[in-house]
Amino acid sequence: MNNKPKIGVYVCHCGINISKTVDVEAVTEFASHLPYVEVARNYSYMCSDPGQLLIKEDIKNQGLNRIVVASCSPRMHELTFRKALAEVGLNPYYLEMANLREHCSWVHQDREEATIKAKKLVAAAAAKARLLEPLVENEVDVEPATLIIGGGIAGIQAALDIASAGFKVYMVEKTPSVGGKMSQLDKTFPTLDCSACILTPKMVDVASHPNIELMTYSQVEEVSGYVGNFEVKVRKKARYVDVNKCTGCGLCAEECRLHNRIPSEFDMGMGKRSAIYIPFPQAVPAKYTIDPERCLFLTRGKCGKGPKCIDACLPGAINFEQEDEIVEFKVGSVIVATGYDLFDPSRKPEYGYNDYPNVLTAMELERLVSASGPTGGEILLGRGKGEEPYIPKEIAFIQCVGSRDASCGNEYCSRVCCMYTAKLAHLMTEKIPDANVRVYYMDVRAFGKGFEEFYDRVRREGVHYIRGNPSEVFKRGDKLVVKAEDTLTATPLEDEVDMVVLAVGLEPRKDAREIMDLLRLSQSGDRFFLEAHPKLAPVDTATDGVYLAGCAQGPKDIPDTVAQAKGAASSALILLSSGKVKVQAQISSVDESTCRGCGFCVEICPYGAVDLVTVNRMGHQVQVARVNEAVCKGCGACVAGCLSGSIQQRSFKDEQILPQIAVLGGMR
Amino acid sequence: MYSMKLRKEKYDDFVAALGKQNLYAPQKKGETLVFAPVEAGSSIPEFLNTTVPPKNIVYPQTETLYCFQAGDTEMSLPEGDEEKVVFGIRPCDARAMALVDDLFSWDDDDPYYLEKRAKTTLVGLACNAPDNNCFCTSVGGGPASTEGLDVLLTDLGETFFLQVLTEKGEKLCQSLGELLEKAAEDDLKAVEKLHEEAEQKISRKIDTEGIPDKLMGLWDSELWAEISEPCLGCGICTYLCPTCYCFDIQDEVEGYDGRRCRMWDSCMFGEYTLHASGHNPRPTNRERTRNRVNHKYSYYVEKFGKIACVGCGRCINLCPVNIDILNILTKVKEAL
Amino acid sequence: MVDLEKLRTVAKETVSRDDVKYLIGWRQGTYGFRVSPHFMKEPEEAEKLIFSPLCSNNLATYLTSVEKLPVPRGEEPDTRKVALMVKGCDSRAVVQQIVEQGIKREDVIIIGCPCDGIVDLNKVKEKFPNVLELVQARWNNGNVVFQLPEGEKEVPREEVLADKCLTCRYPNPVEADVMLWEEVKTRGSDEYADIKEMEVKDVQEKKSYWQDKFSTCIRCYSCRNVCPMCYCEDCILDRLNPNWIFRSVNATENMAFHLTRAFHLAGRCIECGECERVCPVDIPLMKLNRKLYKETREIFDYEPGLDLESKPLLASYRPDDQEDFIL
Amino acid sequence: MSEQFKPNIVAFLCNWCTYAGADLAGTSRMQYPANVHIIRVMCTGRINPLFVVNAFQQGADGVIISGCHPGDCHYMEGNFYARRRFTMLREMLEYVGVEPERFHMSWVSASEGAKWKDVVEEAVESAQKVGPFDQFRRNKINW
């Protein structure tokens, strides 16, 4: 094929957006005299159908083989025009754009200067276009399976969706049971459904679904590979219980020498468990686990005359010899649903959480309210050892603890606290009919479906909302004093109460860094995982084939979490069901004949896309770099690090950029 | 022709008198002696010879042949050259120019070179005290050789003794008018004595007899590998050689503007003989070194009847790894 | 102290090994103070080898500069080891070459020659002009003793040693399979006085200084070819497409050439000074290289050619690298 | 000089942050000098420091390198490599007499259109201070 460059230049008026400042006619005339330019035209809207048709017709009729579109930002319409080229059989990468709108007509007013600049930009684009090469978007096969990290409601929902679509799911959960934070909740706002009632069936479904392989008490150790072809290593931690034999009867826990002596994480430390335990009665799988940090036998090497749990277990499931197991498998996509941590209120010492037992977090209250909680659903507060527990009558909620608060590093709104506070306040009035409940708030954000209505209802029920951020909680006699200012009436308050509930916010998990390193994710300013685009790609990440669901990406309530999980599942399914994935075309490649195998590119590549391989060069075994095309993301960092210029990024080669510099530098 | 004298204290006036022409003389640039245009008020430097030979005055290291526009067929030629006078060129370097003239006017005249050469007047300076590694007498030259020169000067201490050798030289002297004095009979005697003494002072010598004829017989000799082993493949020996004239022609394009240039090339560079296919008929320093020696001492002799080496000693002085042409020739003779 | 007997014995033994291709050392040159690299293949050649204050060549450059000729079908390439005599600076070049995978550690036998400093031939020539007879030299308490035709002459080190040796911090090989004699004491320290002096000059002075220096460059590429760290298969300076730097010899291309060369050595230059030594037109190349070396040390706390396990400076980063100049 | 010198600035921007930031400056109709010309690459990591030398050779009076803030690189690490490379380059350029006013590097995110405008103005103003670049500009010599 004769590949002598025949360039078509198309200058867009963009209505008057460009033509108002840039003399479009003059630019077109100028472009028509540039070397290798066969056709130069202008049109009111190049991106419109007739505009695109102009290009297509010229390609067909005049045999153009390079197209320069001088219009808006390539970030806006590069894909549009690439498609147009492809539709008439011209390789879509024979397109170069000159940004005359965002970078020229909109930012300059002097028509003469703007026109000169526009000419330069067009000339530079034409200089590069001449040297463009056709690129092929390769495809790789997709392993029809998904890894889901995290077994909370987000992970559960995504797993069920993908599994129901007929694809394999590997779910890895760090704790001994799926369920996540939602399983700790008593009721859910604003409908006041019982959390367990709606969640447990899904938990059971996950465990029983034939397409889901559930790995609880397990951690992802390593993820390598790339979209469609991730290789995963999971560490299944030793439970010291053979899950195939364990019936979940619980006799072992009864016999454990530490029976009911270890604070239960599930009950926020207010309930007790044994060293061999299930986190909560509805746990899935309902299999016991020995806590290796607590079990006397595991920590000290002896437990009385011998671990009593062994004798108690009739099926003989207990096995202290058990070791961690490494499982390896391949998946095509990954969903990160690792959830969140609750804000630790001891970081706000003014609220006295560490000092007074009757300052609780909302989650602690949640467990108190729960019928399955440590008090069987009664709101009973201990006064200290040997003293009678009491029922609080004066109750204060403090909102935005650890949210919207730059002093503790969290500027964001946690989005759920307003509504869970309203819910708990409602439950207080329900459980303790003579209680006085007030809520200290900054703003009430009741934006979801049924939220505002619920907030209204709670207020009607007598919950008193006071606008003001308390400065201090301290003790006076038997009472706690909340010191605040009612900012609506400008009244300083010292409010004596029996119980203070802190509406703690949501924070990124402390172990988020491990996941980031594992999957090459980034964080946004709030330290939650960064989505590929905040609006248009909220479940995608910078790593192709890795998706986000739930609070790992940012605070959200259950319906939003479920919606995002379904979104992530659908994104993963697009990949899995198409079976193929296109890889980047503008990626790096190595000229193996000049590469000297120094490995700088290997060190530099953030994706591990470059390897050194041994090749035979005229009879000599020499090392050269080679790019894994499916992994390369086309950043080009390797190119600038290569001393011999042997590695080049397609469409951004040195020989393509240098002419741009020449034109923009000298315009000769 | 005839002889004159120039008093050294009149050098300034001499420079002024030639003001309209471009006068080149040895100048210190940093630590290095090169031929450069002389400015008024500069003095005659003490020098044996310049590091860089004056060949670039008639044969620039980079020379624009013509300019063009990408995608266009029109071209523009560079402007013509000005008259130049080279003051203080050593006889070896002038001989080198005379040697290279044969090449550039051989099958086709090379207008770029010949025009510059015609417009250049060479005022040579005989060597009274040759350097350690000078061996001009072994290759047909001498410290007072006149070949290629228009005027030969000899340093008599207070004055320069001028021997006018060509018409160009005469024209130059005439333009100097009063500045020159008539030379005396004694002066000529003193000059001849100086020339003779200088020749005696040349300490490194080789009898080149037989070398040109027999070099080709050593084509496959182990000698070349041994000699070239430490060679770094740099361009010192060739770029600083007054007789090396190889060039490459390259297009230099900036954006859309281009020019076709001729630039010095060196047969010691790997890519000098590199084919587009990737094949290189002279793949290692062994073949390249052999070529360099053969070219000077065999091929050029075959073609033009002269050894293309003037014994200036630059390649010996400056080779970073002490590859010594006299040592090579000695070994060649031993091997013959 | 230098022990030529030991050197020759080790050389003989090494060359006699079946797995050794040759040994690269130094021998006397053809006249005066000159020394030439020697590729020793037979044990009998041992007597030619020397080590003295005249042995300036950094032989590490030959490890990577061997042309790999096409191997005829049916034949195997010669993959035997190369033995190399190294001074302190030379050994750093070898280490850096290994770090950059230019050579493999197991393919080279490093014979360490602790070194009290090498002479600068220009300084020597100034002291002893017109010496044609072969001259030998040795160290005496750090000073240099020349065996001239008229007798021995001792010269204080400050007067004849190369500048790089006067500030040398690594006179002893940092990596060696055999160390030929006891280590010498480190006499130098490097405060970069010359660099700092340059840094504080005003911009016009800097400009004309470098313009002046680079304008004499004839682009013979001896600085590149002698550099043990310049060993790309195909140097970008020789490429026509892309044509980064024109072959034209003029102020702009010379400047760009030298900036490119220096930048490509950023974090890689091991300060052996060979480029400056071989430059026929006396461009003070080390003044530029050492500037980058200084910044490498001061900003990134990094020195190349010391640690076989280190990562190349510009192929690594720290998240907290300084960035005070960035807007 | 009655007419103020208009320096020619070549800017190398990463696609994801500063190029987008410059787009935002456009969308927000911010006004800045017209003598800055942008070359888009995918990442600051792609910008070969020798591009800067080349830009000066080819007639730039000033150069801007700009990309994502550290930690925000679309490709995670590209800007970290760029930072090291340009730290060294900047030291070298200043040392050989290229005024530091001619070389600017910045972190401008996709949301910092206003910062981009500031960077351009800063680059133009400081290049104005030091005047046209002719130290090793190509077209001044031999053309």
Side-chain angles (χ1 to χ4, degrees):
Chain A
M1 184 185 128
N2 178 6
N3 204 23
K4 179 180 182 286
K6 283 178 147 188
I7 305 175
V9 178
Y10 298 87
V11 187
C12 182
H13 297 238
C14 195
I16 57 162
N17 278 304
I18 293 172
S19 58
K20 194 177 75 176
T21 325
V22 170
D23 184 343
V24 170
E25 289 298 341
V27 174
T28 313
E29 160 69 12
F30 166 84
S32 70
H33 298 296
L34 287 171
Y36 305 105
V37 170
E38 296 272 317
V39 183
R41 297 184 197 280
N42 59 69
Y43 185 69
S44 53
Y45 289 104
M46 282 314 306
C47 59
S48 67
D49 280 348
Q52 293 187 42
L53 196 64
L54 267 180
I55 302 178
K56 292 191 217 170
E57 289 295 318
D58 284 351
I59 293 173
K60 274 191 284 188
N61 301 335
Q62 314 218 27
L64 299 184
N65 55 18
R66 307 284 194 282
I67 301 299
V68 172
V69 180
S71 57
C72 49
S73 171
R75 292 174 55 85
M76 180 83 113
H77 272 312
E78 195 168 48
L79 280 179
T80 312
F81 292 114
R82 272 194 197 152
K83 249 173 83 188
L85 266 58
E87 278 166 18
V88 284
L90 185 60
N91 186 287
Y93 291 89
Y94 274 137
L95 170 78
E96 184 63 25
M97 289 184 73
N99 189 341
L100 299 194
R101 195 178 72 175
E102 284 85 344
H103 291 185
C104 188
S105 70
W106 276 352
V107 287
H108 310 311
Q109 278 172 334
D110 184 309
R111 189 170 170 86
E112 194 184 338
E113 280 188 354
T115 303
I116 293 173
K117 176 168 173 178
K119 287 178 182 173
K120 284 191 182 190
L121 294 176
V122 169
K128 182 177 176 185
R130 177 165 82 84
L131 299 160
L132 288 175
E133 294 165 330
L135 304 185
V136 184
E137 290 163 344
N138 283 326
E139 287 184 334
V140 291
D141 288 335
V142 173
E143 185 72 26
T146 297
L147 164 68
I148 295 179
I149 309 176
I153 180 60
I156 290 171
Q157 186 60 56
L160 289 174
D161 282 10
I162 293 171
S164 307
F167 291 95
K168 177 91 186 166
V169 171
Y170 298 89
M171 174 181 276
V172 178
E173 163 60 40
K174 208 171 186 175
T175 69
S177 170
V178 296
K181 297 276 196 299
M182 184 177 170
S183 63
Q184 288 176 276
L185 305 180
D186 178 51
K187 297 275 192 307
T188 58
F189 62 78
T191 49
L192 299 176
D193 304 82
C194 154
S195 184
C197 312
I198 56 178
L199 176 64
T200 21
K202 284 186 185 285
M203 290 162 60
V204 174
D205 285 351
V206 163
S208 59
H209 201 294
N211 281 343
I212 301 179
E213 188 170 331
L214 178 59
M215 286 170 260
T216 52
Y217 205 51
S218 298
Q219 257 175 297
V220 180
E221 292 264 298
E222 199 183 308
V223 180
S224 57
Y226 48 90
V227 55
N229 295 276
F230 293 105
E231 278 156 38
V232 186
K233 261 190 204 162
V234 171
R235 175 179 297 272
K236 284 180 148 177
K237 288 181 283 186
R239 282 176 181 252
Y240 306 103
V241 171
D242 184 336
V243 288
N244 295 324
K245 292 182 183 164
C246 175
T247 60
C249 67
L251 289 173
C252 52
E254 300 282 324
E255 289 301 312
C256 177
R257 285 183 217 277
L258 294 177
H259 179 57
N260 281 353
R261 288 170 64 180
I262 299 170
S264 153
E265 292 83 357
F266 183 78
D267 280 336
M268 303 304 290
M270 294 186 296
K272 297 284 193 273
R273 62 166 170 91
S274 311
I276 185 163
Y277 68 109
I278 54 172
F280 54 101
Q282 303 81 13
V284 172
K287 308 286 181 186
Y288 276 73
T289 305
I290 296 179
D291 182 345
E293 282 164 18
R294 298 293 192 147
C295 169
L296 296 173
F297 189 73
L298 286 172
T299 52
R300 302 184 195 167
K302 69 186 259 238
C303 173
K305 284 180 187 146
K308 285 167 83 178
C309 49
I310 295 186
D311 300 332
C313 182
L314 297 177
I318 292 167
N319 173 13
F320 281 103
E321 304 294 302
Q322 209 178 54
E323 285 180 358
D324 289 1
E325 187 189 346
I326 302 289
V327 192
E328 292 182 40
F329 50 89
K330 279 187 80 178
V331 296
S333 61
V334 180
I335 293 176
V336 180
T338 48
Y340 62 95
D341 278 345
L342 285 166
F343 179 78
D344 174 6
S346 44
R347 277 160 60 198
K348 305 269 317 167
E350 60 269 35
Y351 292 154
Y353 176 75
N354 279 358
D355 306 327
Y356 315 122
N358 42 350
V359 177
L360 305 185
T361 68
M363 188 57 104
E364 286 164 353
L365 183 60
E366 200 80 53
R367 293 313 303 148
L368 283 184
V369 175
S370 170
S372 68
T375 56
E378 278 190 81
I379 315 301
L380 278 176
L381 293 178
R383 277 211 167 95
K385 250 203 158 111
E387 288 181 53
E388 269 297 294
Y390 68 96
I391 296 171
K393 299 293 182 195
E394 300 291 331
I395 300 169
F397 286 85
I398 301 176
Q399 289 201 171
C400 293
V401 178
S403 309
R404 302 176 67 197
D405 182 355
S407 73
C408 58
N410 298 340
E411 288 185 58
Y412 55 86
C413 165
S414 291
R415 295 178 95 237
V416 292
C417 325
C418 285
M419 292 318 294
Y420 79 55
T421 302
K423 172 193 76 181
L424 288 170
H426 161 79
L427 291 176
M428 289 303 104
T429 58
E430 203 175 81
K431 297 244 174 186
I432 314 169
D434 55 344
N436 283 319
V437 182
R438 57 282 222 179
V439 176
Y440 288 93
Y441 72 101
M442 287 203 276
D443 301 286
V444 171
R445 295 180 170 178
F447 47 81
K449 188 169 177 174
F451 288 12
E452 185 69 19
E453 296 91 319
F454 185 72
Y455 167 52
D456 278 344
R457 168 183 163 189
V458 171
R459 277 193 301 174
R460 279 201 304 276
E461 286 168 355
V463 175
H464 186 42
Y465 273 74
I466 302 163
R467 189 167 196 274
N469 201 3
S471 58
E472 204 184 349
V473 174
F474 56 90
K475 197 159 183 177
R476 186 185 287 157
D478 270 356
K479 296 282 189 182
L480 288 173
V481 179
V482 177
K483 194 173 173 185
E485 185 194 339
D486 183 338
T487 56
L488 296 181
T489 58
T491 322
L493 296 172
E494 289 203 356
D495 189 5
E496 295 199 349
V497 297
D498 300 318
M499 174 169 84
V500 172
V501 182
L502 305 177
V504 288
L506 277 48
E507 281 199 324
R509 284 182 65 98
K510 288 180 186 60
D511 53 10
R513 173 55 63 179
E514 291 166 30
I515 299 285
M516 283 172 67
D517 292 345
L518 220 50
L519 295 165
R520 304 184 203 99
L521 300 180
S522 310
Q523 287 172 309
S524 41
D526 56 12
R527 305 182 322 283
F528 287 98
F529 293 137
L530 179 68
E531 60 287 335
H533 190 281
K535 294 177 187 64
L536 302 180
V539 304
D540 305 66
T541 66
T543 310
D544 286 352
V546 177
Y547 308 100
L548 301 173
C551 291
Q553 181 255 343
K556 48 182 72 66
D557 60 14
I558 295 166
D560 283 3
T561 294
V562 171
Q564 197 187 17
K566 284 180 160 290
S570 127
S571 295
L573 280 172
I574 293 171
L575 202 64
L576 303 186
S577 59
S578 70
K580 300 260 183 211
V581 60
K582 276 198 176 166
V583 301
Q584 290 271 348
Q586 295 176 322
I587 54 173
S588 292
S589 62
V590 179
D591 179 347
E592 292 185 2
S593 71
T594 60
C595 173
R596 75 162 163 81
C598 69
F600 282 18
C601 48
V602 178
E603 294 284 346
I604 290 170
C605 180
Y607 304 98
V610 196
D611 287 314
L612 287 179
V613 295
T614 302
V615 297
N616 185 315
R617 186 186 283 161
M618 304 284 200
H620 300 273
Q621 299 299 309
V622 293
Q623 267 196 341
V624 295
R626 192 171 284 171
V627 176
N628 183 338
E629 303 207 338
V631 184
C632 177
K633 290 272 172 294
C635 68
C638 52
V639 184
C642 178
L643 298 180
S644 67
S646 298
I647 191 163
Q648 289 292 340
Q649 185 188 0
R650 295 173 187 152
S651 286
F652 292 94
K653 293 185 168 183
D654 287 341
E655 61 250 49
Q656 293 164 334
I657 294 175
L658 291 179
Q660 279 184 293
I661 302 175
V663 171
L664 294 181
M667 188 51 208
R668 296 174 44 87
Chain B
M1 306 293 276
Y2 64 97
S3 308
M4 303 288 282
K5 272 199 327 192
L6 171 71
R7 296 204 157 271
K8 279 190 182 171
E9 70 253 24
K10 293 198 173 162
Y11 183 67
D12 243 2
D13 303 325
F14 173 78
V15 171
L18 294 173
K20 290 207 181 102
Q21 313 188 30
N22 299 299
L23 178 64
Y24 285 73
Q27 312 273 306
K28 264 238 154 157
K29 261 202 168 181
E31 299 299 305
T32 306
L33 261 178
V34 298
F35 276 88
V38 182
E39 281 154 30
S42 58
S43 56
I44 314 165
E46 288 288 316
F47 74 104
L48 274 166
N49 204 352
T50 54
T51 306
V52 184
K55 72 174 169 182
N56 61 334
I57 297 171
V58 290
Y59 174 49
Q61 185 159 8
T62 313
E63 185 166 22
T64 302
L65 304 179
Y66 58 83
C67 299
F68 58 89
Q69 277 261 313
D72 205 351
T73 50
E74 274 175 43
M75 54 184 183
S76 55
L77 292 170
E79 284 170 20
D81 285 286
E82 294 162 329
E83 300 270 348
K84 286 174 195 141
V85 176
V86 181
F87 176 87
I89 183 172
R90 293 293 183 182
C92 52
D93 290 341
R95 264 198 83 219
M97 285 193 195
L99 278 168
V100 175
D101 289 346
D102 290 353
L103 183 273
F104 281 115
S105 52
W106 171 42
D107 45 0
D108 278 311
D109 283 354
D110 183 298
Y112 295 93
Y113 176 85
L114 294 176
E115 189 197 350
K116 286 190 182 64
R117 188 72 177 86
K119 288 184 171 171
T120 305
T121 308
L122 300 180
V123 180
L125 181 58
C127 304
N128 291 350
D131 194 15
N132 269 341
N133 288 320
C134 287
F135 62 103
C136 48
T137 51
S138 300
V139 284
S145 155
T146 54
E147 204 179 332
L149 285 174
D150 299 303
V151 176
L152 176 68
L153 306 180
T154 306
D155 190 342
L156 289 173
E158 299 289 295
T159 58
F160 287 120
F161 183 86
L162 269 86
Q163 286 166 283
V164 181
L165 305 166
T166 63
E167 277 176 34
K168 253 199 275 182
E170 191 172 344
K171 220 174 105 191
L172 177 86
C173 288
Q174 276 165 6
S175 73
L176 294 171
E178 304 280 282
L179 272 177
L180 301 180
E181 298 165 21
K182 267 258 159 17
E185 190 74 11
D186 282 0
D187 292 335
L188 183 62
K189 278 206 179 124
V191 164
E192 274 167 0
K193 187 161 172 265
L194 275 175
H195 288 178
E196 208 167 298
E197 277 171 8
E199 206 161 316
Q200 297 303 319
K201 283 183 199 159
I202 301 249
S203 37
R204 298 195 72 177
K205 291 189 183 104
I206 190 155
D207 180 4
T208 53
E209 182 66 36
I211 293 178
D213 303 333
K214 292 177 183 164
L215 255 180
M216 294 305 280
L218 293 176
W219 186 262
D220 290 320
S221 167
E222 289 294 317
L223 184 74
W224 301 116
E226 187 196 322
I227 291 165
S228 65
E229 226 156 17
C231 177
L232 300 166
C234 75
I236 289 181
C237 51
T238 47
Y239 278 7
L240 297 181
C241 174
T243 67
C244 271
Y245 52 74
C246 283
F247 60 78
D248 188 15
I249 291 181
Q250 293 190 1
D251 287 352
E252 299 191 336
V253 184
E254 240 189 300
Y256 293 124
D257 290 317
R259 55 178 172 170
R260 177 152 296 186
C261 305
R262 154 158 101 179
M263 49 256 303
W264 292 358
D265 202 352
S266 167
C267 60
M268 297 309 295
F269 290 161
E271 74 271 18
Y272 180 83
T273 45
L274 182 64
H275 293 185
S277 66
H279 172 63
N280 195 338
R282 287 185 213 143
T284 71
N285 289 326
R286 171 179 167 271
E287 293 81 16
R288 292 168 208 150
T289 305
R290 180 176 65 196
N291 177 72
R292 183 170 74 91
V293 176
N294 281 359
H295 182 234
K296 297 201 174 302
Y297 283 87
S298 169
Y299 311 151
Y300 206 83
V301 182
E302 196 180 305
K303 199 146 269 162
F304 300 108
K306 294 167 192 161
I307 290 173
C309 169
V310 292
C312 70
R314 285 188 179 91
C315 57
I316 306 177
N317 287 330
L318 294 163
C319 176
V321 296
N322 186 221
I323 293 176
D324 181 331
I325 182 82
L326 286 175
N327 185 46
I328 297 176
L329 294 175
T330 309
K331 286 190 171 164
V332 163
K333 289 201 73 159
E334 280 167 12
L336 281 173
Chain C
M1 271 328 297
V2 173
D3 180 350
L4 280 185
E5 272 318 298
K6 174 93 184 282
L7 183 154
R8 288 167 184 165
T9 314
V10 169
K12 251 184 234 171
E13 283 167 7
T14 309
V15 172
S16 306
R17 284 169 57 172
D18 288 340
D19 60 343
V20 173
K21 187 153 52 172
Y22 47 64
L23 176 145
I24 315 176
W26 299 272
R27 67 167 147 80
Q28 266 207 303
T30 57
Y31 68 94
F33 302 88
R34 297 298 297 264
V35 159
S36 179
H38 183 69
F39 290 66
M40 171 179 167
K41 295 176 188 93
E42 304 299 333
E44 302 82 71
E45 297 168 48
E47 296 313 305
K48 288 188 178 171
L49 295 181
I50 59 161
F51 186 69
S52 78
L54 303 176
C55 296
S56 43
N57 308 67
N58 181 348
L59 306 174
T61 197
Y62 294 111
L63 289 178
T64 49
S65 64
V66 182
E67 289 101 337
K68 290 194 170 119
L69 290 181
V71 181
R73 212 163 280 158
E75 285 180 27
E76 287 295 318
D78 188 347
T79 54
R80 288 175 298 167
K81 295 173 198 286
V82 170
L84 186 77
M85 288 170 50
V86 295
K87 307 185 288 288
C89 47
D90 309 347
S91 74
R92 294 184 60 200
V94 180
V95 167
Q96 189 62 16
Q97 287 172 348
I98 295 168
V99 165
E100 299 178 3
Q101 316 199 45
I103 47 167
K104 291 200 185 84
R105 179 67 185 90
E106 61 268 28
D107 289 346
V108 54
I109 298 169
I110 307 174
I111 302 172
C113 310
C115 155
D116 237 339
I118 298 300
V119 301
D120 177 335
L121 276 186
N122 289 329
K123 292 183 186 174
V124 173
K125 233 176 143 185
E126 218 142 83
K127 283 207 174 301
F128 311 109
N130 293 320
V131 178
L132 191 56
E133 295 83 359
L134 281 172
V135 174
Q136 294 187 9
R138 59 181 167 81
W139 286 281
N140 186 24
N141 289 323
N143 296 331
V144 181
V145 180
F146 295 98
Q147 289 159 319
L148 295 158
E150 63 265 31
E152 288 207 341
K153 179 99 190 340
E154 180 163 336
V155 184
R157 56 190 281 117
E158 291 75 23
E159 291 176 27
V160 278
L161 287 197
D163 293 345
K164 59 137 182 172
C165 298
L166 293 173
T167 55
C168 174
R169 293 173 299 126
Y170 299 98
N172 296 303
V174 296
E175 173 81 17
D177 295 296
V178 195
M179 202 67 91
L180 286 177
W181 42 81
E182 74 275 18
E183 300 203 337
V184 298
K185 77 165 182 251
T186 307
R187 296 169 198 267
S189 67
D190 200 346
E191 307 304 329
Y192 297 96
D194 50 335
I195 308 301
K196 287 176 183 159
E197 187 191 332
M198 189 72 199
E199 283 171 343
V200 297
K201 289 191 176 167
D202 79 64
V203 102
Q204 285 307 327
E205 256 181 288
K206 290 179 191 168
K207 215 179 261 193
S208 56
Y209 177 87
W210 290 109
Q211 190 104 352
D212 196 41
K213 295 297 176 193
F214 292 143
S215 66
T216 51
C217 175
I218 53 162
R219 303 272 285 280
C220 66
Y221 297 136
S222 58
C223 50
R224 175 192 70 181
N225 289 16
V226 80
C227 178
M229 299 322 301
C230 275
Y231 54 93
C232 285
E233 295 279 336
D234 188 8
C235 175
I236 64 161
L237 298 168
D238 294 335
R239 290 254 178 97
L240 296 178
N241 187 26
N243 203 347
W244 277 99
I245 290 156
F246 296 164
R247 184 82 164 266
S248 278
V249 179
N250 56 38
T252 167
E253 303 308 328
N254 287 0
M255 185 84 179
F257 159 54
H258 284 288
L259 292 183
T260 302
R261 197 193 61 78
F263 192 79
H264 273 191
L265 287 170
R268 304 175 61 239
C269 170
I270 42 79
E271 296 192 298
C272 70
E274 282 287 87
C275 50
E276 188 167 306
R277 174 182 75 85
V278 304
C279 180
V281 293
D282 302 305
I283 302 173
L285 294 166
M286 286 304 284
K287 213 169 193 162
L288 186 52
N289 292 347
R290 275 163 51 73
K291 161 68 179 170
L292 292 180
Y293 195 102
K294 169 177 170 276
E295 300 312 327
T296 303
R297 255 177 95 187
E298 288 181 356
I299 301 177
F300 301 112
D301 190 23
Y302 179 92
E303 283 194 76
L306 295 179
D307 175 7
L308 287 174
E309 304 303 318
S310 72
K311 287 196 172 174
L313 176 77
L314 294 184
S316 54
Y317 69 88
R318 282 204 307 256
D320 58 347
D321 279 341
Q322 76 154 47
E323 56 166 54
D324 42 17
F325 70 98
I326 299 175
L327 296 172
Chain D
M1 199 159 53
S2 58
E3 181 98 336
Q4 203 176 20
F5 163 61
K6 287 189 175 145
N8 184 18
I9 311 279
V10 175
F12 296 90
L13 308 189
C14 91
N15 179 60
W16 305 99
C17 288
T18 312
Y19 195 92
D23 278 359
L24 177 64
T27 322
S28 323
R29 309 298 198 277
M30 291 169 186
Q31 299 296 308
Y32 57 77
N35 29 347
V36 58
H37 305 98
I38 293 169
I39 291 176
R40 181 175 72 116
V41 290
M42 295 313 278
C43 177
T44 43
R46 169 66 189 89
I47 307 167
N48 191 326
L50 300 177
F51 284 161
V52 177
V53 175
N54 193 266
F56 284 129
Q57 273 196 292
Q58 312 249 37
D61 300 304
V63 175
I64 301 173
I65 304 292
S66 188
C68 310
H69 288 269
D72 293 349
C73 175
H74 183 79
Y75 305 102
M76 295 172 299
E77 299 173 352
N79 52 0
F80 288 130
Y81 291 113
R83 186 170 60 183
R84 273 205 169 184
R85 292 168 185 156
F86 288 105
T87 300
M88 293 305 278
L89 182 85
R90 185 174 168 278
E91 289 291 344
M92 181 172 78
L93 289 179
E94 188 171 348
Y95 187 74
V96 297
V98 178
E99 296 86 348
E101 287 87 348
R102 301 192 187 279
F103 176 72
H104 301 268
M105 185 163 179
S106 62
W107 307 133
V108 175
S109 77
S111 60
E112 293 175 321
K115 185 173 176 188
W116 170 244
K117 171 185 151 86
D118 291 344
V119 168
V120 171
E121 283 170 354
E122 159 75 20
V124 169
E125 265 170 45
S126 54
Q128 253 163 2
K129 249 180 262 166
V130 292
F133 180 83
D134 56 7
Q135 189 183 357
F136 52 91
R137 186 176 181 146
R138 262 181 190 153
N139 46 19
K140 287 262 166 153
I141 297 137
N142 276 349
W143 279 88

